Structures are given as C-alpha cells and as structure tokens.
Amino acid sequence: MTTGLIANKKIAIIGGGPGGLTLARLLQMNGADVTVYERDAHKDARPQGATLDLHHESGLAALTEAGLMEEFRANYRPEAGYMRVVDKDAQIRFDEDINGDDGFNRPEIDRGPLNEILLNSLKPGTVVWDQQFASLAHEGSRIRVTFKNGSAIHADVVIGADGANSKVRTYVTDLKPVYSGNMVLEGAVYDSATTIPKMHELLRGGKIFALGDSKTLVVSSKGDGSLVFYTGCHLPEQWPRESGIDFSDKAQVKAWFQQEFASWGDAWLELFENATGPFVPRPQYCMPLEETWQPLANLTLIGDAAHIMPPYAGEGVNMAMLDALELSQYLLRDSMANIPAAIAAYETGMHTRFAEVGKETMENTVWMHSPEALPIMVDFFSHAKDAHDQTATS
Ligand SMILES: Cc1cc2nc3c(=O)[nH]c(=O)nc-3n(C[C@H](O)[C@H](O)[C@H](O)COP(=O)(O)OP(=O)(O)OC[C@H]3O[C@@H](n4cnc5c(N)ncnc54)[C@H](O)[C@@H]3O)c2cc1C
C-alpha cells in the first residue's frame, strides 16, 4: 500500500550515500516506487571512510523510524567511543570514553557497515549502479534525468543526494559552497596493529584528536583493523593542484607534512610512511549560512548536496539522515496539500537547522585551527564528561 502524496509517483534519488539510502528505505517501506541512481560501479567500488558517531536526535532517529536499530546494534562499535586529545608531540591531554558505560551515548559505526545495513534493507534492484548523473530537464510535470553513460529516465520527483560536489545542486539553487580556508588531507593505514603498533596502542580502538600551532590531525580506528587519518590546516583552495605534490607518492606527502607541520613531533611520521593507497586532498567548503532558495515543485536536495560543511562538528551524516527522515515524513503526511507543499515544508526546516549546525561547525573549524585549540578542546571535553558523570549519578 502506498501512503501520502506519493501514490503512483515515480521517485528518483540521485546518490546512494547514507542520505539517499535512508530516504529510499523510509519511502519504500511505505510503499513508494523509489529508485536510487548511484555513480559507483558496485557497492564495493571504493574503500569506505572513517567511523561515524550517530546522534539520538538525528541519525539514530532516522534509523529507528527505518526499523533498523536491531541491525545497527549488531554492527556498532562500542570501543570506538574511546577518545584521546593529544598535543603535537602525541602527549595525552585528555583521555576518556565519552560514550559512557554502555557505549550508546553517541554510538560509532563504520561507514561501510552503515551503508550495508541500509542497502540490505532495500528491495533488490532499488539501487542502480554505474549511473552517474549528468543533467536534468523539466518536461511538463515530470523530470527527465540523463546519465553520463547516455541512459535516461523519467521521474515525478527527483531528490539530489549526490554529496559534497553535487551536480544536482545547480538545478535547485545558484548558491555555491564557499571555501572555508581549511584543507584536509586524508590517508589510511591497513592492519595498524602490525604496521604501526605504537600509534595503534595510542588509538586503542577509538579516535585521536591532535591539536597544535593552528593545525589538527584526526586519527580513527576502523573495525577491519585499519585506521584512517586526516590533517587539517590553513592552505589556499587551489593547493592540491598548485602544490605539485603527487598524492600517490608517500615520500612526497611525508616531506610536505614535515614542512607544513614542522613544529610537530616525529610520532606522526609513521602514518605517512605506512599509508596504503593514495592520499586524498579535500578542500573544505561550507554552504552560505542563513541563505535559502525558492523551493521547486518536484526537485529538492538532502545531505551534503544541500548543505556541505566541514567535518569538525561530526554532524554531516547525521544531518543527511535527518533530512531523509523529515522529507519522507512530509511526503507521506496526508495533511500536506501536495508534493510542492511537502518539499517547501521540508526545506524550511532543513534551512533553519543548517543555519544553526553550520554556524557551530564553522566556529569549531576556526577555533580548532587557532593557537588556543588544545586548551579549548580539553576544557570542552572535561565539561562534557562532568555533565555526563553528574547525569549518571543523579
Ligand atoms: C574527512 C571527513 C571526515 C568526516 N567525518 C565525519 C564524522 O565524523 N561525522 C559525520 O557526521 N560526518 C563526517 N563527515 C561528513 C560525512 O561524510 C557527510 O556529511 C555524509 O557522508 C553526507 O552523506 P550524503 O549521503 O549526503 O553524501 P555522501 O556520503 O557523499 O554520498 C553521496 C553519494 O552520491 C554519489 N554520487 C556523487 N555524485 C554522483 C553523481 N553525479 N551521480 C550519481 N551518484 C553520485 C556518491 O558516489 C555517493 O555514494 C566527514 C567528511 C569527511 C570528508
């Protein structure tokens, strides 16, 4: 049975990340005719990134509504709640299991298993792989979507969930993400217990935030025994191209780190010496805060496509999943007059939410890359721990 406004409507979601897959699940379980068109050739085409902590009011709320909490509990990683704040010489300044005793305050799950849970919840064939969105055109009340391989489909409603560099975005708004001034460089080390035992020990299955001299390095363990890490520092937007660095050459990247992070200790070098695969530079962008666009009748955006922001508040995936939850609820609500009204109502809430979360994210991005970052971070987590301890004892 199909409920709400979407009975007999064909819905196309562009992009099968956490946002797009959550939306597909929530709509499909209510009888919608929904298809996800994903650029990747298959589900294992790319190594999946770091561990994500899901928040009760957003990511977990969406999973609850999707009926997937049992699968989540079977796959989350309680040990990943361990978090250490260290200085540039890898000396521990704060050491805590911020998740508390049951590990379920902000439970962590690897991106791969999260995507797997969502994919397995969909009917076979819901995700069509190897479909890179190229363009769209409005044809009467429908939308024609064309893919890079030349194929095309028609849909009644299209949702762009195609991430940070969304191509659907330009069909919805003239707003463009603004460079934050912060450059991330991401790397991975497989089998960290064997390859870099000292760093593995320091990490103890969780996360390390290293801060110093206006730079950051975040290291996260993954359930498959690997770790991922990313540096953060002030660099020009065009640095990936203009630096001339070959990011597949470990020696070149290590030399860059030694120069850019010159005041940092040697403890970090083993990450660069033992990295597996190419490094990925990621200039960090943020959509303009408090700016909106005129909602369209049958085309909208969710997740990073709607509101890309840097990773320094840990909200990206949570916001993507909350967008999916709210959009599905408006589309399924009998009291909505029509689909354009549902999209408008969703976007109003989404813009308001992003104005707040994006502001906090940009504030974090600035202070975490300031000279005072380390004491601020230690203070922040000490207060969070005190608050948690008080709640636990009261
Ligand atoms: C280094 C780093 C660390 C992060 N850490 C965290 C964290 O700790 N916590 C957190 O909440 N968030 C974090 N994020 C942000 C988080 O990854 C994103 O906010 C989240 O993945 C957004 O989900 P999404 O579904 O909107 O987009 P994505 O996860 O980017 O998914 C988009 C999908 O669309 C597909 N696609 C792209 N283009 C096309 C196209 N043209 N046609 C078809 N398909 C297409 C992609 O292949 C992908 O599958 C981090 C990001 C980075 C870069």
Side-chain angles (χ1 to χ4, degrees):
M1 193 192 69
T2 304
T3 51
L5 312 169
I6 50 176
N8 306 316
K9 301 288 185 198
K10 195 167 167 32
I11 300 175
I13 298 173
I14 312 297
L21 295 177
T22 304
L23 180 62
R25 163 69 179 175
L26 290 165
L27 292 175
Q28 192 173 69
M29 67 194 283
N30 285 286
D33 175 0
V34 58
T35 307
V36 178
Y37 298 93
E38 165 59 43
R39 170 184 64 182
D40 286 350
H42 53 85
K43 77 177 176 61
D44 301 315
R46 272 182 301 139
Q48 298 287 326
T51 305
L52 303 159
D53 62 308
L54 296 195
H55 305 170
H56 285 274
E57 67 284 3
S58 44
L60 292 176
L63 282 183
T64 302
E65 190 66 24
L68 296 172
M69 280 310 289
E70 203 177 309
E71 288 82 349
F72 178 81
R73 281 189 176 272
N75 283 280
Y76 87 104
R77 293 177 51 229
E79 73 282 8
Y82 285 116
M83 192 270 309
R84 282 181 161 160
V85 179
V86 305
D87 63 20
K88 58 190 181 175
D89 295 315
Q91 296 303 306
I92 299 167
R93 300 300 191 93
F94 183 86
D95 186 9
E96 193 53 48
D97 176 6
I98 50 169
N99 259 328
D101 299 335
D102 63 355
F104 219 75
N105 181 22
R106 287 190 162 190
E108 305 261 358
I109 187 165
D110 288 1
R111 193 182 290 260
L114 176 62
N115 271 1
E116 194 88 23
I117 290 170
L118 292 164
L119 280 170
N120 290 342
S121 74
L122 298 170
K123 288 183 193 162
T126 304
V127 179
V128 187
W129 302 96
D130 210 4
Q131 296 289 312
Q132 181 168 353
F133 171 86
S135 64
L136 64 77
H138 294 270
E139 290 185 356
S141 65
R142 306 196 86 200
I143 297 177
R144 178 184 156 91
V145 178
T146 307
F147 299 96
K148 211 174 165 195
N149 58 17
S151 65
I153 56 111
H154 284 86
D156 299 292
V157 181
V158 174
I159 294 119
D162 52 338
N165 302 314
S166 170
K167 297 287 179 288
V168 181
R169 189 188 288 139
T170 55
Y171 294 89
V172 176
T173 174
D174 290 335
L175 292 178
K176 290 191 173 37
V178 178
Y179 182 53
S180 69
N182 183 270
M183 182 70 61
V184 156
L185 183 68
E186 202 179 332
V189 178
Y190 289 173
D191 190 13
S192 58
T194 315
T195 328
I196 47 172
K198 267 197 262 166
M199 187 60 63
H200 181 84
E201 193 64 24
L202 187 63
L203 196 54
R204 50 166 200 175
K207 216 170 233 171
I208 295 170
F209 288 97
L211 306 109
D213 297 340
S214 306
K215 299 175 200 306
T216 57
L217 177 55
V218 180
V219 190
S220 311
S221 69
K222 283 174 66 181
D224 63 3
S226 67
L227 61 76
V228 289
F229 62 97
Y230 60 94
T231 58
C233 59
H234 302 291
L235 282 172
E237 184 179 6
Q238 302 308 330
W239 174 78
R241 198 165 35 84
E242 291 177 353
S243 67
I245 295 171
D246 174 357
F247 292 100
S248 62
D249 182 339
K250 280 191 279 204
Q252 285 191 36
V253 177
K254 181 184 154 192
W256 164 78
F257 178 77
Q258 285 176 297
Q259 191 186 15
E260 187 67 35
F261 286 62
S263 63
W264 284 46
D266 290 343
W268 310 106
L269 296 182
E270 61 181 22
L271 289 171
F272 295 85
E273 288 158 357
N274 294 283
T276 328
F279 289 81
V280 184
R282 296 188 192 278
Q284 291 302 304
Y285 294 89
C286 192
M287 280 296 268
L289 302 173
E290 293 182 34
E291 289 196 44
T292 61
W293 56 78
Q294 202 57 35
L296 300 174
N298 53 357
L299 175 63
T300 187
L301 303 171
I302 62 169
D304 280 5
H307 43 62
I308 176 64
M309 58 187 136
Y312 297 106
E315 288 286 3
V317 86
N318 285 288
M319 289 300 106
M321 293 172 77
L322 185 54
D323 288 350
L325 175 60
E326 294 210 340
L327 178 56
S328 69
Q329 287 174 334
Y330 281 117
L331 288 171
L332 293 164
R333 198 170 289 172
D334 288 331
S335 58
M336 293 309 306
N338 48 37
I339 290 174
I343 288 177
Y346 152 71
E347 288 190 356
T348 300
M350 181 270 287
H351 288 308
T352 306
R353 199 162 53 239
F354 174 62
E356 273 177 37
V357 171
K359 181 168 175 284
E360 185 199 341
T361 296
M362 285 312 297
E363 286 169 359
N364 287 4
T365 305
V366 170
W367 71 252
M368 284 176 73
H369 299 90
S370 73
E372 310 78 34
L374 186 60
I376 299 177
M377 183 78 126
V378 170
D379 200 45
F380 174 83
F381 281 117
S382 303
H383 278 100
K385 179 179 168 351
D386 289 348
H388 176 268
D389 290 350
Q390 273 173 16
T391 317
T393 52
S394 62

